[in-house]
Amino acid sequence: MMTRIIERLPAGSLGWLVAHELRLATRGGKATTRVRIVRYILLAAFLIAGILTAVALANVPIRPDATFDAGLLVAAIAATSLMTTQAMIGTQQTLYERGDLDLLFSSPVAPRTILRAKLLAIAATVMLTFGALSLPFVLPIAIVGHPRLLGFVATLIGLALIAACIGLALALAIAKAAGPRAARTVGQIAAGLLGGGFFILSQAIGRHSNESGFEAVFRWVQASGWADSWWGLLPGRASFGDPLAILILLGGGILLFALTGAAFQRLFQSGFHDAGKHMTRRTVSKKGIGRQFRASLFTSIFMKEWRLLIRDPALAFRIVLRLVYLIPLTIVLTKNNDVPIAPGAAFFSVLVTGQLVGSFTWLAISAEDSPDLLTVAPVEKSTVEWVKLASALAMAAPLALILPIVIATETVAGALVTLVMTAIAGTLAGFIELKLSKPASRKTFARRRSGSLAAGILTMLVTFVFGGIAGVLVFVLL
Amino acid sequence: MNEPALALRGVSKSFDKPVITNLDLTIEPGQLYALLGPNGAGKTTTLRMVVGLSEPDRGRIGIYGIDTRRDPLAAKAITAWLPDEPMLYDKLSPSEYLGFVAGLWKIPPEEAAPEAERLLRWLELWDVRDTRCEGFSRGMKQKVALAGALIHKPRLLILDEPLTGLDATMARSVKDALRAQVDAGATVIVTTHILEVAERLADRIGIIAGGTLHAEGTLDELRAMAGEENATLEDTFIRLTSPA
């Protein structure tokens, strides 16, 4: 379909380029028949759930009020922060993975048109992601009995455009400020921080109350009076079809898009040129070369995995961020039930270490940069895999010791139990990755579960079970 | 009796269609052997089976008399593989990479370290030995990979399109390195599209087309087969690989 649209548009025009971008974006990797069937089943279930919800709400009056406005404002802030993160990552991918930028910039198409096409493509990707999650519910509800909710589509487009512009501006500004050498790493860390920002903020706000993070932010927004301000009302009103709110939100998005295209053209081009420079600090160590050569296979592989991890700060940061996301699970388990700290700490220790070992094992085995080198080496494949699993355990070990030391101040036996459970869960998590995950690139770490959903679910299950056992045993031992 | 450096007997391999069909090939030790063939002829598939990256559907492969299926680790221990895309880690420096490769091939540190220094100096990488490979040019990366292939002193060195993307100076140093390996007693097998390289460098040349060995011999022998005594290798190659 997209090819037919491209054929009808003037070659080299903005529309033509956007259609080209969308054609590329919609041509994902080949999926197996089984994966496709699972996808169709999930999609059908999602659509049916949306239709059933729409039927159930058909005669229920849905009107904007103060609570709704505050809720929608919080949801809009959360969604915009995630959309902006996605747009930042999209901009970085456009710049650093280059793709077709070399071709486009060497063609007689105006750089401003190229930037606008890329920006629109990023906005469309953001919109499709959030639309896929929300529209199967919102559209049936709107069609069945609440047509004013069609305004949600305009809200989504407006927010996606605004987020794409902010994301692009942030990514380019960071690239400029950090310089060509550090631009990529700083940009990735900033995107990670922004993505987790709402979540971390919500946890910080809710840390002294019994509410969830979202509830705490909701109360906070209500108390602040933001939801009553004209701009705070915009997402809610636009979603309920208020023409003025739609005009402001959508018009603002379009205006921002036009301004961004004009204002950031130069920065985009300089970012593109800088991205082409592979700047590496040239160093020569005064220590002899002999220090690089080890007698054991384990040390050789461990050192390689360790170096690859610590030399990729963005990846290390993502791993830490994933662990931060696990904090609420522990808070929920301890905050509401007067549970002492030690059992919660035991649970968290096992959970985090298991996930950490799973991540390290995935990086070492699935995301191996040179699998052919290991295949042609005179070492059994199983030996390499077990050594890599041991390396992953060794890398996680220092972190796995922190909470047991805290627990030891209350119960030494409990600390030992936690260590044993941590070791078992970590080994099992690594083993699951070893057996189930598929080869992938390190840069796909954030999406690694798409490689093997089963590995992700099993790892979570194992760490939960052994974390629970550790928590209960420590509770009994106290 | 000397075992051949490489012996393929009745090797076949199919993917969605047959790629290699009943291939017999013998390469004697101490030679630089060029494997030529049109695109899709099965050169890379053949070599990937030799180094253990792919399994033949049928047939046997022997490296210096070692059956690669029966004792793959022993065969791998004396073989090095250098594909056209270097098997490197961008975040490692050349010295760290060589340390890792030496660890995989279980070379004692007291042997590996001086050999690494010799290779790094010889390939003009000594000044960048502690610089990460991510900023290197393609030629420099290829030289680091070559050092990695040579660190364990392989008896059989197999290179797939080793000169792709290299400038003239880099290409010369790689060619010199290959000739030096042969002079030192190793066997080198290269695939290349650059027929001039094969013409000047190779002791023997094999031409694969359609998954079988079409012709094999010295350049003079190939010319004789093509029926043109003073023809260039390019003419000979085209004549031998063109459908009758």
Side-chain angles (χ1 to χ4, degrees):
Chain A
M1 188 181 81
M2 215 41 92
T3 305
R4 279 191 202 152
I5 294 172
I6 289 171
E7 282 166 4
R8 295 208 169 101
L9 290 166
S13 66
L14 179 63
W16 185 83
L17 275 176
V18 172
H20 165 73
E21 292 288 335
L22 292 177
R23 178 171 60 179
L24 293 178
T26 50
R27 286 187 183 171
K30 280 183 186 170
T32 61
T33 311
R34 203 171 60 175
V35 170
R36 256 184 283 155
I37 290 170
V38 171
R39 276 185 197 163
Y40 288 139
I41 291 171
L42 286 175
L43 182 67
F46 203 49
L47 290 174
I48 290 167
I51 291 165
L52 290 176
T53 310
V55 171
L57 292 176
N59 296 315
V60 177
I62 305 174
R63 287 188 198 91
D65 58 20
T67 312
F68 231 101
D69 287 336
L72 278 170
L73 178 61
V74 174
I77 293 170
T80 310
S81 79
L82 291 172
M83 284 177 170
T84 308
T85 305
Q86 205 185 342
M88 280 181 79
I89 293 168
T91 307
Q92 287 162 0
Q93 282 171 346
T94 304
L95 284 177
Y96 303 124
E97 288 165 25
R98 304 188 71 83
D100 55 359
L101 272 189
D102 285 332
L103 173 67
L104 292 175
F105 275 123
S106 65
S107 74
V109 176
R112 187 178 296 183
T113 309
I114 296 168
L115 170 60
R116 283 183 173 157
K118 291 285 176 191
L119 190 54
L120 271 180
I122 290 168
T125 312
V126 168
M127 205 177 63
L128 282 175
T129 308
F130 283 80
L133 292 171
S134 55
L135 291 181
F137 283 89
V138 176
L139 284 181
I141 294 172
I143 291 164
V144 170
H146 305 280
R148 287 194 309 164
L149 276 176
L150 286 172
F152 180 82
V153 179
T155 309
L156 190 66
I157 295 171
L159 287 180
L161 270 176
I162 292 167
C165 294
I166 297 172
L168 180 120
L170 277 175
L172 293 178
I174 288 168
K176 183 76 181 168
R181 195 193 305 277
R184 201 176 309 198
T185 302
V186 176
Q188 284 169 341
I189 290 176
L193 267 179
L194 186 67
F198 180 84
F199 171 80
I200 293 166
L201 186 73
S202 69
Q203 293 308 315
I205 292 170
R207 72 189 186 283
H208 295 308
S209 69
N210 286 333
E211 295 171 319
S212 72
F214 191 87
E215 284 171 327
V217 174
F218 177 71
R219 301 268 167 246
W220 190 59
V221 166
Q222 267 193 326
S224 70
W226 287 359
D228 302 323
S229 63
W230 69 270
W231 63 268
L233 287 169
L234 273 180
R237 294 293 146 91
S239 298
F240 276 93
D242 181 336
L244 184 64
I246 289 176
L247 186 71
I248 294 172
L249 207 58
L250 201 54
I254 293 168
L255 184 69
L256 196 61
F257 167 73
L259 289 174
T260 307
F264 285 89
Q265 182 196 322
R266 246 174 225 288
L267 209 52
F268 184 71
Q269 271 181 286
S270 73
F272 162 72
H273 292 140
D274 285 347
K277 299 172 189 168
H278 295 283
M279 303 187 79
T280 309
R281 210 169 269 117
R282 189 165 168 159
T283 51
V284 174
S285 170
K286 285 177 183 160
K287 296 173 190 165
I289 195 173
R291 72 192 190 286
Q292 309 293 1
F293 296 85
R294 322 270 167 178
S296 85
L297 181 67
F298 174 80
T299 325
S300 295
I301 291 180
F302 175 81
M303 287 308 295
K304 175 222 142 196
E305 296 301 339
W306 177 244
R307 282 169 175 150
L308 294 186
L309 180 71
I310 58 168
R311 289 174 187 179
D312 194 344
L315 182 67
F317 179 76
R318 280 192 170 186
I319 292 172
V320 172
L321 206 61
R322 273 172 175 269
L323 302 182
V324 169
Y325 288 147
L326 293 172
I327 291 172
L329 288 169
T330 311
I331 293 174
V332 167
L333 285 172
T334 56
K335 197 162 56 176
N336 300 329
N337 303 316
D338 298 326
V339 177
I341 282 181
F347 172 76
F348 187 63
S349 177
V350 177
L351 189 71
V352 162
T353 308
Q355 295 293 323
L356 206 56
V357 173
S359 296
F360 288 156
T361 313
W362 184 88
L363 286 171
I365 292 169
S366 301
E368 167 61 48
D369 287 333
S370 287
D372 284 359
L373 176 65
L374 299 177
T375 308
V376 301
V379 189
E380 290 284 2
K381 185 175 177 239
S382 57
T383 307
V384 172
E385 287 180 346
W386 283 107
V387 170
K388 285 190 166 194
L389 174 56
S391 299
L393 284 165
M395 285 196 282
L399 284 169
L401 287 174
I402 295 171
L403 284 177
I405 290 169
V406 174
I407 296 165
T409 60
E410 291 190 32
T411 159
V412 175
L416 289 173
V417 165
T418 306
L419 277 176
V420 171
M421 291 300 149
T422 303
I424 295 172
T427 308
L428 284 173
F431 187 74
I432 290 165
E433 287 290 343
L434 195 84
K435 292 294 169 196
L436 295 181
S437 59
K438 297 164 189 165
S441 153
R442 290 175 91 82
K443 65 187 173 195
T444 62
F445 175 76
R447 303 191 302 272
R448 75 184 203 276
R449 291 300 175 224
S450 62
S452 173
L453 191 64
I457 292 169
L458 270 177
T459 303
M460 193 52 97
L461 193 70
V462 161
T463 52
F464 254 81
V465 167
F466 283 92
I469 294 171
V472 169
L473 287 176
V474 170
F475 185 74
V476 170
L477 287 166
L478 273 174
Chain B
M1 186 184 135
N2 275 349
E3 291 283 357
L6 178 66
L8 278 74
R9 297 287 173 264
V11 171
S12 297
K13 179 76 183 174
S14 297
F15 294 111
D16 46 349
K17 58 179 183 178
V19 180
I20 301 293
T21 312
N22 212 18
L23 178 65
D24 286 323
L25 176 68
T26 304
I27 298 175
E28 295 301 331
Q31 294 185 346
L32 201 155
Y33 191 97
L35 200 55
L36 310 181
N39 289 333
K43 305 183 294 289
T44 302
T45 304
T46 303
L47 297 184
R48 285 178 66 85
M49 286 191 289
V50 171
V51 297
L53 288 168
S54 174
E55 285 277 314
D57 298 335
R58 274 203 318 275
R60 283 188 299 115
I61 300 172
I63 296 175
Y64 284 98
I66 302 166
D67 189 317
T68 57
R69 195 169 275 183
R70 279 196 199 149
D71 196 354
L73 298 190
K76 288 174 181 181
I78 56 168
T79 309
W81 163 244
L82 190 71
D84 56 345
E85 278 301 319
M87 301 183 292
L88 289 184
Y89 299 91
D90 278 351
K91 299 279 180 196
L92 294 187
S93 69
S95 61
E96 289 166 346
Y97 175 72
L98 293 184
F100 177 62
V101 176
L104 288 176
W105 261 262
K106 300 187 185 82
I107 312 295
E110 59 277 13
E111 279 179 36
E115 181 62 7
E117 181 170 344
R118 186 188 73 77
L119 288 168
L120 290 171
R121 287 189 188 281
W122 179 50
L123 292 165
E124 296 170 1
L125 293 167
W126 183 247
D127 291 342
V128 292
R129 64 188 180 277
D130 293 319
T131 303
R132 292 180 203 171
C133 296
E134 58 197 345
F136 286 5
S137 67
R138 184 184 165 83
M140 282 173 78
K141 284 184 177 177
Q142 195 73 359
K143 288 207 289 187
V144 176
L146 180 61
L150 297 177
I151 185 90
H152 57 92
K153 297 180 180 164
R155 292 174 69 191
L156 176 62
L157 176 59
I158 302 174
L159 307 95
D160 190 16
E161 298 289 353
L163 305 178
T164 306
L166 301 190
D167 62 32
T169 315
M170 290 282 186
R172 167 61 73 89
S173 58
V174 170
K175 282 188 273 185
D176 290 347
L178 299 186
R179 181 40 69 187
Q181 286 303 303
V182 175
D183 293 344
T187 306
V188 175
I189 303 172
V190 289
T191 68
T192 179
H193 277 102
I194 310 168
L195 297 184
E196 177 266 337
V197 172
E199 191 166 7
R200 285 171 181 245
L201 215 60
D203 300 312
R204 289 181 76 80
I205 297 165
I207 297 177
I208 286 189
T212 55
L213 191 65
H214 261 226
E216 203 248 357
T218 62
L219 182 55
D220 288 338
E221 287 167 352
L222 290 178
R223 280 180 185 139
M225 283 180 218
E228 289 185 34
E229 259 183 36
N230 295 315
T232 61
L233 179 58
E234 188 178 33
D235 295 331
T236 311
F237 175 80
I238 291 169
R239 188 166 282 258
L240 288 172
T241 54
S242 299

